[in-house]
Amino acid sequence: MATTADITAMRRAITLAARGLGATSPNPVVGCVVLDAAGAPAGEGFHRRAGGPHAEIHALRAAGEKARGGTAYVTLEPCDHTGRTGPCSRALLDAGIRRVVYAVADPDPRATGGADTLRAAGVQVERGLLADEAEEGNTAWLTSVRLGRPHVRWKYAATLDGRVAAADATSRWITSAESRADVHRLRAESDAVVIGSGTARADDPQLGVRGVEGAVQPLRVVVDTGATAVRPGARILDPTAPTLIAVAQDAETAHLPQDAVLRLPRAATGPGLDIPALLAALHTRGVRSVLLEGGPVLAGSFVAAGCVDTVVGYLAPVLLGAGPAALADAGITTIAQALRLAVTETVRIGPDLRVTAVPARKGN
């Protein structure tokens, strides 16, 4: 049975892991805490960037000889393979760790097996402590391994009656400065930010991260089926971050930088591009998390394709009564087909309310 010390150490490891969000892809975020043989803190660390030392290595280096006979708390099962770095299972053994507690089993067949290696060497290994919390913090990477595509978080800002713009198409600013700053945090945690042609035409957004120290700029993606929305001089083509413009295979793109063009098949039904094909193409480029900032039409396409994993709605205490709704046609024609969500968090952001929800499991 987990002790208070176990829970405290693992919760600290989960907090540490979150520091790597947006910087570790295509690797997971991982945190590690080492206690010495007497149960006192000895070292801690987190995975900071792909290709760099894993969380366990940072924590063991910080602990030094104090690690011998101690316990390591890791948010993800220690890896058992050699890639750009060596296996963490071997590093834990070499450091003389007596006990390893990890939260989530590694679903990647290339890396799993660390727990078995440690047990075979006589280390006491325990699994599952604060697993739900650790899963939530690593949901993007886990989704990518389990589904073979990036995790998609759809973000929108709307009035309390669900409008994302007024009837005359004006939309700046529905939500507060505090909410807009919070969106930059979401961008900083994401590998890619995706918008559609409507947003590109209406706002000419730059989509860079501002106000987040040390942020890695995400890949900027515009879904522009006919290659008509992004024109030379568009802010999204500036050098702040790399950009992809997803277009239909037959689109004319002579006016666009050719290294930014991504040709994809059209959707089998309805307008636009094939959303699973877009996500597969991003996945092959190392994208494990997508922030969908597009308008109602693009959001509807993602929902219809079953490719929205988390919804983050910023609701302002404002009423419009007319104007476009947050979600356009998503292929839902009757209440029985409604995509039911489970709310996981509600937070006040300035005068606004941020609601986070995930698709409800069937039967709930």
Side-chain angles (χ1 to χ4, degrees):
M1 182 174 178
T3 66
T4 300
D6 291 334
I7 294 170
T8 299
M10 184 61 80
R11 189 153 282 137
R12 174 61 180 167
I14 292 169
T15 298
L16 288 167
R19 294 184 183 179
L21 285 169
T24 65
S25 282
N27 293 351
V29 294
V30 183
C32 178
V33 169
V34 173
L35 302 186
D36 67 18
E44 62 181 31
F46 65 97
H47 186 40
R48 299 178 182 179
R49 59 179 177 82
H54 290 186
E56 295 94 322
I57 306 306
H58 284 298
L60 291 172
R61 286 175 181 171
E65 279 302 309
K66 292 181 181 179
R68 194 158 299 280
T71 300
Y73 300 84
V74 197
T75 57
L76 185 68
E77 178 185 359
C79 69
D80 200 43
H81 82 301
T82 299
R84 286 183 282 185
T85 61
C88 291
S89 56
R90 173 48 54 186
L92 290 163
L93 290 174
D94 291 344
I97 288 290
R98 175 185 58 84
R99 176 176 174 240
V100 172
V101 181
Y102 69 94
V104 179
D106 192 332
D108 188 341
R110 298 169 300 176
T112 192
D116 291 338
T117 295
L118 291 164
R119 285 193 189 96
V123 175
Q124 180 183 345
V125 180
E126 299 165 28
R127 166 186 170 180
L129 180 60
L130 301 186
D132 288 345
E133 292 181 33
E135 282 239 5
E136 184 178 351
N138 215 10
T139 186
W141 182 81
L142 290 168
T143 297
S144 74
V145 173
R146 292 165 177 166
L147 300 183
R149 65 160 174 81
H151 178 275
V152 177
R153 179 161 52 180
W154 170 40
K155 160 263 160 186
Y156 69 92
T159 62
L160 205 56
D161 58 335
R163 308 292 176 175
V164 295
D168 65 356
T170 55
S171 61
R172 293 189 179 183
W173 297 103
I174 287 176
T175 52
S176 64
E178 293 91 338
S179 288
R180 297 195 295 276
D182 195 59
V183 170
H184 283 277
R185 176 188 60 82
L186 296 186
R187 288 181 183 175
E189 293 178 356
S190 305
D191 297 334
V193 179
V194 178
I195 63 169
S197 55
T199 300
R201 287 192 188 93
D203 298 339
D204 186 26
Q206 192 253 6
L207 295 185
V209 177
R210 297 186 297 277
V212 180
E213 185 177 355
V216 176
Q217 293 292 339
L219 173 70
R220 302 173 295 185
V221 182
V222 184
V223 180
D224 186 10
T225 306
T228 58
V230 179
R231 310 303 300 177
R235 296 175 67 214
I236 205 163
L237 296 176
D238 73 12
T240 298
T243 300
L244 281 180
I245 305 164
V247 303
Q249 292 167 330
D250 58 351
E252 173 53 56
T253 60
H255 60 290
L256 296 173
Q258 291 307 294
D259 60 353
V261 173
L262 172 64
R263 294 189 180 276
L264 294 172
R266 294 179 183 269
T269 58
L273 300 177
D274 185 296
I275 298 302
L278 168 64
L279 292 176
L282 294 178
H283 193 261
T284 62
R285 287 166 167 78
V287 171
R288 299 295 178 260
S289 57
V290 163
L291 180 63
L292 177 61
E293 289 198 43
V297 174
L298 186 61
S301 296
F302 271 76
V303 171
C307 293
V308 170
D309 303 296
T310 304
V311 179
V312 181
Y314 293 85
L315 302 179
V318 176
L319 299 176
L320 283 173
L327 185 66
D329 182 12
I332 299 169
T333 58
T334 178
I335 194 67
Q337 298 173 340
L339 177 59
R340 302 287 179 177
L341 304 175
V343 174
T344 59
E345 184 185 50
T346 57
V347 179
R348 284 286 298 270
I349 305 287
D352 306 323
L353 182 66
R354 186 187 72 207
V355 179
T356 304
V358 297
R361 292 176 184 165
K362 291 199 171 151
N364 289 357

